[in-house]
């Protein structure tokens, strides 16, 4: 993880209201290049709202978001050029083959010719889809669709990857491929990853730092050892999470 003083993801006092309901409250985060950051929280904690603001699908009620130093409100194109986003249910064009879909995505980002072909071949091979690239997406299993979404996300060499439930529908082998790809891209190429998941073992395994949101508020932030210290626990992330969100009794010594 880089020690750069310019965060790749910066949220400054970000809040989001839906009518009288406060979904995210005064959230501030700075995530550095090459960092894998996991955002955890109970249902309806504000995780998905945070992600949708982060990728420009929702506007904050208050506060500021910057991607790679570009203000998301003032410089949306510059900021989004650095981004890739995989929601929990990605949308794919089912009447295209896997390769046609990747070619379409490549053209959207201005990747053409030999460079496009090289990248497509590399990512199809990485995620085990090279033998299925000429099949229509409508024939893909859910796990194959997820892997194709990762191929598409990595295609334009983003600097920031935002993931909502990154392991949904993946079998253990595919999940291992994804985790290895995330760590390799973060370590070797400085990719910054922001992921939200309910699978705490994923966060425990891949995240450099973890933020826990509850009722729209950031209630804990740090490395796993730091969170263990705060929770007064030496256990796995599940126990730490439950203690910090009030889901498990505190042990009084």
């Amino acid at each position: 993880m880089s020690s750069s003083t310019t965060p790749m993801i910066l949220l400054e006092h970000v809040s989001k209201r839906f009518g009288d309901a406060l979904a995210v409250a005064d959230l501030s985060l700075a995530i550095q290049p090459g960092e894998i950051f996991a955002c955890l929280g109970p249902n309806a904690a504000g995780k998905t709202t945070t992600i949708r603001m982060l990728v420009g699908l929702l506007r904050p009620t208050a506060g500021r978001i910057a991607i790679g130093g570009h203000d998301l409100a003032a410089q949306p194109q510059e900021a989004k050029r650095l981004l890739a986003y995989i929601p929990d249910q990605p949308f794919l064009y089912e009447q295209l083959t896997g390769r046609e879909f990747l070619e379409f995505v490549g053209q959207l980002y201005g990747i053409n010719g030999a460079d496009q072909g090289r990248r497509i071949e590399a990512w199809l091979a990485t995620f085990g889809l090279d033998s299925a690239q000429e099949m229509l997406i409508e024939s893909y299993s859910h796990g194959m669709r997820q892997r194709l979404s990762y191929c598409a996300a990595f295609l334009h060499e983003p600097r920031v990857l935002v993931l909502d439930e990154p392991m949904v529908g993946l079998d253990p082998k595919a999940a291992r491929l994804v985790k290895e790809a995330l760590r390799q891209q973060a370590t070797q190429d400085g990719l910054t990853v922001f992921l939200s998941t309910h699978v705490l073992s994923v966060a425990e395994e891949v995240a450099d730092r973890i933020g826990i949101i509850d009722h729209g508020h950031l209630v804990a932030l740090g490395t796993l050892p730091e969170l263990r210290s705060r929770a007064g626990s030496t256990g796995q992330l599940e126990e730490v999470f439950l203690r910090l969100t009030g889901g498990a009794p505190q042990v009084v010594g």
Side-chain angles (χ1 to χ4, degrees):
M1 185 177 65
S2 170
S3 60
S4 169
T5 57
T6 302
M8 281 304 296
I9 298 174
L10 181 65
L11 294 89
E12 295 180 320
H13 304 291
V14 171
S15 296
K16 181 63 180 178
R17 286 188 175 274
F18 296 99
D20 292 333
L22 183 61
V24 175
D26 195 30
L27 176 60
S28 293
L29 282 173
I31 303 172
Q32 300 297 331
E35 182 174 4
I36 299 180
F37 183 87
C39 180
L40 310 180
N43 289 331
K47 304 184 302 298
T48 297
T49 299
T50 298
I51 280 179
R52 289 177 178 169
M53 289 191 291
L54 189 58
V55 299
L57 294 176
L58 287 175
R59 292 194 175 201
T61 305
R64 173 178 177 266
I65 298 174
I67 304 295
H70 300 289
D71 187 287
L72 190 56
Q75 302 170 293
Q77 288 188 328
E78 291 83 351
K80 291 178 183 180
R81 212 173 267 127
L82 304 176
L83 275 170
Y85 170 46
I86 303 180
D88 56 348
Q89 295 183 335
F91 176 81
L92 304 173
Y93 292 99
E94 295 193 339
Q95 297 306 310
L96 297 179
T97 66
R99 186 178 189 91
E100 287 171 340
F101 177 71
L102 295 180
E103 289 172 346
F104 170 69
V105 172
Q107 289 166 11
L108 289 176
Y109 283 100
I111 310 166
N112 296 293
D115 190 30
Q116 182 192 89
R118 176 186 58 78
R119 296 189 196 186
I120 288 174
E121 293 294 340
W123 286 115
L124 285 171
T126 295
F127 288 104
L129 289 173
D130 38 353
S131 63
Q133 61 182 291
E134 301 301 339
M135 295 168 53
L136 291 178
I137 294 173
E138 67 178 2
S139 68
Y140 279 23
S141 68
H142 183 74
M144 292 170 70
R145 293 173 186 231
Q146 287 292 104
R147 283 183 280 150
L148 185 64
S149 297
Y150 277 96
C151 292
F154 283 122
L155 196 62
H156 73 285
E157 299 179 348
R159 307 315 307 146
V160 175
L161 177 61
V162 180
L163 304 171
D164 196 355
E165 296 297 343
M167 304 302 166
V168 170
L170 296 178
D171 62 27
K173 181 179 179 181
R176 171 57 58 188
L177 286 174
V178 168
K179 286 183 278 191
E180 289 176 350
L182 293 178
R183 178 50 62 193
Q184 179 178 355
Q185 291 295 304
T187 301
Q188 296 184 6
D189 297 328
L191 176 70
T192 302
V193 180
F194 184 105
L195 67 89
S196 171
T197 182
H198 284 106
V199 184
L200 300 187
S201 60
V202 171
E204 191 166 17
E205 186 173 352
V206 305
D208 297 304
R209 280 194 305 156
I210 297 166
I212 299 177
I213 296 178
D214 195 13
H215 294 94
H217 295 268
L218 184 66
V219 297
L221 175 66
T223 64
L224 182 54
E226 289 168 345
L227 295 183
R228 282 182 174 135
S229 176
R230 176 166 178 174
S233 169
T234 59
Q236 294 184 324
L237 180 56
E238 179 180 11
E239 180 183 345
V240 173
F241 173 83
L242 291 173
R243 289 193 178 198
L244 293 173
T245 57
Q250 299 285 338
V251 177
V252 179

